[in-house]
Amino acid sequence: MSPPDPYLLLDLGLAATILVLALAALRQRDSFTMAVVFILFGLLVALAWVRLDAPDVALAEAAIGAGVTGALLLRTLRHVGGERRDPAPVPRVVAGMLGLSVAGFATLGGLALMATPRHGTGLIPAVAARMDQSGVEHPVTAVLLNFRAYDTLLEVVVVLAAVMAVWAIDRTIDRAAAPLPYLPGVALRGPIAGAYLRLVLPALALIGAYLVWIGAYSPGGAFQGGAVLAAAGVLSALARGGRWPRTAATMPLLRGSLVLGVVVFTGVGIWAAVAGGGVLHYPPAQAKPLILLIEASVALSIAATLTALFLGHMPQPAARIALRKGTTNDT
Amino acid sequence: MIADFLWLGLIAAGLIFFAAGTLGLLRFPDLFCRLHALTKADNLGLALVALGTAGLWATPAAAMKLAVIWALVAVSAATSGHMIARHARRAWRQEDAL
């Protein structure tokens, strides 16, 4: 018998902790604790991806799954109020059907896992054989932005659609009658916060750009870099009490950065078709610059989109925003 | 070989700080004491673990990255600790005024 893998204990502990946290998040009575446990859950799931040798997914999970989603949850809680209303009881028939379908999907998932050859190579040889045509050196980026670029394009469309839905709902609210409140409780203000932002915002911009650039060679890419840039957006929004800048001039710029990723991605895809390769089939010689162009614009769009989702409202003309409360006790 | 034990010792010391910080977070009576425990663990614990890790495995470039990560985490932990404490103190004052 071979000696046991020293990491086995760590992995088992990690898996058990993830299950316990998932249960804890579901059984929590208090919504705030629920959100915090969910963020913790996301961070440990990111660790699990690291242990599964999938650092790309780990980065995305930590940045988007735990970070941005956590911020969204806490922001929503601030908005709807913390008190928990007991949900209406679920009819037994509905609960039974839900339970059955969950059990069914779990069984199917288990069967699929058992049917997978234990030491199979999957699509790895197919990807490896075509890496020289992909334009990048990192296989995950090659799959996401070249071989299966269609999937990634649709993902970018989906996040844009989410912002459109949020803004469409926001449009139905009469802001003249109900101005946006200024939320001093969420404001990141004061000398220490100011110094912190001056230090960290440029660092976040640099790290975001670095993650996009490094995606061509190693783990990183548009979604991870975009999420880091979105963190910068969220911090700036918090610095002004959870609102967009008052200048209306940001509107065309903002709308532009929201759609930039979809426009550039689609444009490159159509250009590739005109150039003779078929939709999204970039010519190998130009693949690298095209992929970098797409990644850079998608990262900007992801950053703008996630920030817009965090703020949850359209930018307003200055007149429709409630005046800031006095900051006399701001010591 | 002896150097390896030195680095491992640093990592172990860092873990002790993390454990102590977690204990403080769970056992201390109020928010300010808990913040005190937590920020110590973040700063010193992470510094020791990062130092040990860099000494054991990292290339010079990776060691630089670890240093930058530690600096960012330390500054963020200090700032968020300050923001939480400030918010809590204000909430207290408002309750006192009522």
Side-chain angles (χ1 to χ4, degrees), chain A residues 185 188-190 192-193 196 199 207 210 329-331, chain B residues 65 72 75-76 79 82-83 86-87 89-90 93-94:
Chain A
L188 197 58
R189 301 177 67 81
I192 292 184
Y196 174 71
L199 179 76
I207 295 168
Y210 170 75
N329 60 349
D330 196 325
T331 48
Chain B
K65 278 188 205 165
L72 284 175
V75 170
S76 302
T79 310
H82 164 76
M83 297 310 290
R86 199 170 83 138
H87 189 73
R89 199 194 52 176
R90 279 212 204 133
R93 265 199 207 160
Q94 279 176 7

Side-chain angles (χ1 to χ4, degrees), chain B residues 5-21 40-41 43-52:
Chain B
F5 276 108
L6 190 74
W7 300 125
L8 280 175
L10 285 179
I11 295 181
L15 293 181
I16 291 174
F17 271 98
F18 272 115
K40 299 300 158 298
N43 279 335
L44 209 50
L46 183 65
L48 290 171
V49 170
L51 207 61

Side-chain angles (χ1 to χ4, degrees), chain A residues 146-160:
Chain A
N146 198 335
F147 305 148
R148 301 285 302 178
Y150 192 59
D151 297 10
T152 311
L153 172 60
L154 288 185
E155 274 172 36
V156 180
V157 173
V158 165
V159 280
L160 177 63

